[in-house]
Amino acid sequence: MATSPTSPASDAGDIKAVPVRHYGRWLFALIVLVFVASLLSSAIRNDNFKWDVVGDYLFADRVLRGLWLTIWLSTVAVVLGIALGTLLAVMRLSDNPVLRWVSLAYIWFFRGTPVYVQLLGWSFIGALYSTISFGVPFGGPVLVSANGNDLITPITAAILGLGLNLAAYQAEIVRAGLLSVDEGQVESAKALGMTGAQSMRRIVLPQAMRVIIPPTGNQAIDMLKTSSLVATIGVADLLYSVQLIYAQNYQQVPLLVAACIWYLLMTSILSIGQYYLERHYAAGNVRELPPTPLQRARARAASVRFGGPGNPG
Amino acid sequence: MIRFDAVTKRYPDGTVAVDSLELTAASGQITVLVGPSGCGKTTSLRMINRMIEPTSGTIWLDDTDTASMATHELRRQIGYVIQHAGLFPHRTIVDNIATVPFLLGTDKKEARKTALELLERVGLPPHFAKRYPAQLSGGQQQRVGVARALAADPPVMLMDEPFSAVDPVVREQLQDEFLRLQQELGKTIVFVTHDIDEAIKLGDQVAVLRVGGHLAQLASPVELLSRPIDAFVAGFVGRDRGYRALGFTTAGTLSTRGEPTVTLGAAIPKGTDTDTWLLVVDAQQAPQGWLDLGADFTGHETVSDELLYRGGTLATQGGTLRAALDACLSSPSGRGVVVDDGGALIGSVTAREVLELIEARETERQP
């Protein structure tokens, strides 16, 4: 647009537009910047943070192994939580009273007890049930049977503890999303001959996503950090790994800083993912989507290269 | 053909929405259900595709009892258009239209091609295909709603006040195009409205329902206007019904008299005649308006647009008595302008002549 010689901007050469000057805005920006800069420099120049030690351990083998465990454990727990949570939400809104009540009871229990206790509970499951079998209940034939302690390893306990707890919260998020979709949409879908499942999958869920994604992103980010609770059941995630290291060398602060750098990096990546996912599901809702930061940067680069609006190349 | 056989809908609280309705909607015709709020017209419509289940009675779709079919199967054979179009906001226009073909497992490419044709058919440009519903106006969305209902080429269409949420000008356009479309397609249509004018304009037959779900009268529009069965129907059909009934009577060939004219852009004739109104036509002899010869023309040499009185409607030779009479009543000169199908001037008639014609018709009808 800017490069087109017929664009209105180039015709308006004789009008000199001066943006309104916000002196107050500039002043406050300056004050805040000075404050932030002094805070940063105090951290960077403070020798007690031992930045060289942070650097040494940031890519240490044990830290990276812990990081990897945190990543995949959180991923599995989030996937489990979202899948089960969605199922629970659909059950909760179902016409079938049994499904409704089971879902309600599940949410009541798993939201009502601390996730820490749930983790411990899963790790003790071997003590509660020495064998775990699947089969026809109440004395019917057993199909699969395993020793409780073999089946529920600390990792399995961690996945179950985190995932099942997340599912309870996720169920409420999905339910809110489903309820946010206009009832007329279900009507329309039915009138066109969709079955209940079809209208849920093709019409309701895609529209509910707009409401579901932001809090779900929150949950995923939260899970990255909540997963550090698995230290209590002896699973060596990122945090537990650095704890093991500083238990030996007493460098608590730099090691915790190193862990936080990794947590921040992971949550940043998740936030970016969430941003693009939100855009994807916003289709049809915003008349024209605003450009992404990347598109904006590209447009700016292009306008610099070809000359700005008042200066057609 | 859709046949209601003693259909009743009674809600658990005892309210009777529809009371043993007997009604046949003939194939290839538009049957309009009309009545005040709470008369059960929408309930009746929604019982056809079983969005609402009848309490008793049977609804036949040709020779099939609708209750014997799976609801989603039944609904895929019945197009359905609702008031606010009910488009899916997260899907593009073309995918909205192709909803039912997708459900029926039609090849995606094929379904989208049909959808594009339908888009054109309902009068929307092809570049709308990739847009989302929120980017369209209400009237445009309603057209898409109609296209979506037609997508799987169902023999039956149900329309629930499809044009009542748009402004009067757009509504009239949509109605006219709907009638044109129906002439091409010949669907069996059941149409619900609360607007008696719409019912009379669109219906091949009109069913007037009264509160409590009773059928008050089932008749053709002209019969409804001329012979309402009782006080309720007469009241509902409303005032001006005598005048409106003229809209169903062709005037035959009107004997017109020649009308002196002046062409747009020609010099203004000096007031030679005792009559002060002169008809202005364009180069193609199409009437443009009237010129008041008694007016002050200072600053004007020729007959220009801004001098015209454009109030008069035009009657078409072979059109209705209503159009002919309206042309006379709306013309500033009192002379109704009659044109041919191409829009070129034939001559003029007076209100008295049209009234004489109407009276002659009346004596013919009642010997």
Side-chain angles (χ1 to χ4, degrees):
Chain A
M1 270 276 277
T3 59
S4 154
T6 54
S7 81
S10 62
D11 296 338
D14 40 0
I15 296 174
K16 204 160 184 183
V18 181
V20 180
R21 296 195 168 92
H22 301 279
Y23 297 107
R25 204 184 278 177
W26 294 349
L27 180 70
F28 282 111
L30 195 69
I31 293 172
V32 171
L33 274 179
V34 168
F35 182 73
V36 171
S38 64
L39 207 69
L40 277 177
S41 89
S42 82
I44 292 166
R45 289 185 307 173
N46 186 340
D47 289 339
N48 291 332
F49 278 99
K50 297 188 186 144
W51 291 100
D52 52 326
V53 183
V54 173
D56 286 346
Y57 281 100
L58 198 55
F59 296 101
D61 239 18
R62 283 202 280 174
V63 174
L64 289 184
R65 246 179 288 138
L67 172 68
W68 174 239
L69 190 122
T70 292
I71 291 174
W72 78 255
L73 175 65
S74 308
T75 310
V76 172
V78 166
V79 169
L80 175 68
I82 290 175
L84 187 60
T86 308
L87 181 70
L88 285 166
V90 174
M91 282 166 66
R92 178 97 201 263
L93 295 174
S94 146
D95 290 332
N96 183 332
V98 175
L99 296 187
R100 243 182 2 244
W101 279 99
V102 167
S103 167
L104 196 67
Y106 180 100
I107 294 167
W108 168 78
F109 180 80
F110 281 90
R111 226 169 37 153
T113 52
V115 61
Y116 181 69
V117 176
Q118 287 171 32
L119 273 171
L120 290 175
W122 284 109
S123 69
F124 296 154
I125 201 87
L128 297 172
Y129 296 92
S130 55
T131 53
I132 295 170
S133 351
F134 290 94
V136 181
F138 308 117
V142 173
L143 302 173
V144 188
S145 180
N147 180 291
N149 277 322
D150 294 342
L151 194 64
I152 307 291
T153 62
I155 284 285
T156 330
I159 291 171
L160 288 174
L162 295 173
L164 297 190
N165 181 260
L166 179 71
Y169 287 91
Q170 190 63 24
E172 291 294 278
I173 291 173
V174 174
R175 187 170 69 98
L178 295 180
L179 290 178
S180 78
V181 178
D182 183 38
E183 252 177 277
Q185 291 288 309
V186 183
E187 279 278 288
S188 253
K190 273 193 190 157
L192 289 168
M194 289 195 196
T195 61
Q198 279 168 334
S199 96
M200 178 57 77
R201 207 176 61 240
R202 298 182 188 207
I203 305 302
V204 179
L205 263 181
Q207 291 184 56
M209 282 310 227
R210 215 167 45 84
V211 174
I212 292 174
I213 299 239
T216 303
N218 243 357
Q219 295 279 15
I221 284 169
D222 197 45
M223 176 57 76
L224 270 175
K225 293 164 298 164
T226 311
S227 67
S228 61
L229 282 180
V230 299
T232 54
I233 56 172
V235 175
D237 74 321
L238 178 59
L239 187 66
Y240 193 41
S241 300
V242 301
Q243 282 173 335
L244 287 175
I245 298 171
Y246 71 60
Q248 292 166 347
N249 66 8
Y250 301 106
Q251 302 284 0
Q252 283 94 335
V253 173
L255 277 157
L256 287 175
V257 169
C260 283
I261 289 174
W262 281 119
Y263 279 118
L264 278 172
L265 183 74
M266 289 189 290
T267 52
S268 306
I269 293 171
L270 277 183
S271 303
I272 295 169
Q274 182 186 340
Y275 175 82
Y276 281 96
L277 211 57
E278 270 175 42
R279 281 176 68 85
H280 173 75
Y281 283 107
N285 241 292
V286 186
R287 278 175 184 236
E288 203 160 319
L289 288 169
T292 65
L294 205 68
Q295 287 167 339
R296 240 177 294 159
R298 251 190 240 134
R300 215 173 297 138
S303 86
V304 168
R305 221 174 312 143
F306 299 116
N311 177 22
Chain B
M1 187 196 69
I2 301 162
R3 191 158 60 85
F4 284 78
D5 187 4
V7 174
T8 296
K9 177 66 193 179
R10 186 180 294 106
Y11 286 102
D13 66 356
T15 323
V16 177
V18 177
D19 191 12
S20 49
L21 181 65
E22 300 276 352
L23 182 73
T24 302
S27 297
Q29 297 218 319
I30 303 175
T31 301
V32 181
L33 306 181
V34 67
S37 299
C39 71
K41 53 190 190 293
T42 297
T43 308
S44 304
L45 184 84
R46 288 161 64 86
M47 284 195 292
I48 298 173
N49 66 353
R50 286 173 65 200
M51 296 293 284
I52 296 174
E53 298 282 354
T55 313
S56 64
T58 313
I59 299 173
W60 299 88
L61 187 62
D62 292 324
D63 296 321
T64 320
D65 177 356
T66 51
S68 70
M69 304 170 74
T71 51
H72 63 275
E73 300 282 349
L74 172 72
R75 290 170 191 160
R76 287 171 195 179
Q77 296 177 23
I78 299 178
Y80 191 54
V81 187
I82 54 173
Q83 191 171 12
H84 290 280
L87 301 181
F88 301 130
H90 61 300
R91 289 188 168 184
T92 57
I93 297 304
V94 64
D95 283 2
N96 259 289
I97 297 176
T99 304
V100 181
F102 284 168
L103 285 176
L104 295 170
T106 313
D107 175 56
K108 287 229 166 188
K109 225 170 166 180
E110 193 64 30
R112 290 208 174 98
K113 215 181 104 204
T114 319
L116 279 174
E117 286 167 17
L118 276 165
L119 194 65
E120 204 184 320
R121 198 146 208 187
V122 296
L124 292 175
H127 68 265
F128 274 29
K130 290 278 164 226
R131 294 199 183 171
Y132 287 96
Q135 295 168 300
L136 269 57
S137 73
Q140 289 165 343
Q141 289 189 24
Q142 205 51 261
R143 286 166 195 259
V144 176
V146 172
R148 183 174 67 178
L150 288 170
D153 201 19
V156 174
M157 289 246 281
L158 307 180
M159 307 181 83
D160 190 0
E161 308 212 10
F163 306 140
S164 51
V166 292
D167 68 69
V169 177
V170 174
R171 186 181 313 148
E172 199 165 326
Q173 278 175 8
L174 289 174
Q175 288 168 346
D176 291 341
E177 286 188 39
F178 169 65
L179 284 175
R180 175 183 57 76
L181 208 61
Q182 167 65 357
Q183 255 182 354
E184 292 170 22
L185 300 175
K187 303 281 182 198
T188 306
I189 295 173
V190 181
F191 191 110
V192 162
T193 180
H194 60 262
D195 176 1
I196 184 70
D197 289 318
E198 187 170 63
I200 283 166
K201 179 173 180 182
L202 300 180
D204 292 310
Q205 61 171 353
V206 179
V208 183
L209 301 172
R210 71 173 98 230
V211 178
H214 301 277
L215 179 63
Q217 186 171 6
L218 176 68
S220 68
V222 62
E223 198 185 334
L224 201 64
L225 286 171
S226 55
R227 304 178 68 183
I229 202 165
D230 59 16
F232 167 76
V233 178
F236 192 75
V237 170
R239 65 189 76 196
D240 301 337
R241 58 179 178 270
Y243 183 59
R244 291 199 325 243
L246 292 177
F248 293 96
T249 320
T250 50
T253 307
L254 292 161
S255 47
T256 58
R257 85 176 57 77
E259 184 70 35
T261 61
V262 61
T263 310
L264 202 62
I268 297 172
K270 296 292 169 266
T272 52
D273 211 298
T274 46
D275 182 43
T276 60
W277 290 102
L278 184 62
L279 186 65
V280 180
V281 294
D282 67 2
Q284 282 76 44
Q285 290 295 302
Q288 299 297 303
W290 293 90
L291 189 67
D292 182 2
L293 291 177
D296 176 15
F297 293 123
T298 320
H300 291 279
E301 292 294 317
T302 58
V303 180
S304 58
D305 258 348
E306 68 254 36
L307 294 174
L308 297 187
Y309 287 77
R310 295 175 179 280
T313 58
L314 301 175
T316 314
Q317 186 69 283
T320 65
L321 280 171
R322 180 177 176 170
L325 188 57
D326 193 65
C328 303
L329 297 177
S330 63
S331 163
S333 69
R335 301 191 295 277
V337 179
V338 182
V339 295
D340 64 17
D341 287 333
L345 176 69
I346 293 176
S348 66
V349 289
T350 62
R352 181 189 298 271
E353 287 161 349
V354 179
L355 288 173
E356 277 168 4
L357 208 56
I358 293 169
E359 278 182 8
R361 288 294 162 82
E362 287 302 309
T363 25
E364 259 173 54
R365 198 148 26 125
Q366 295 159 344

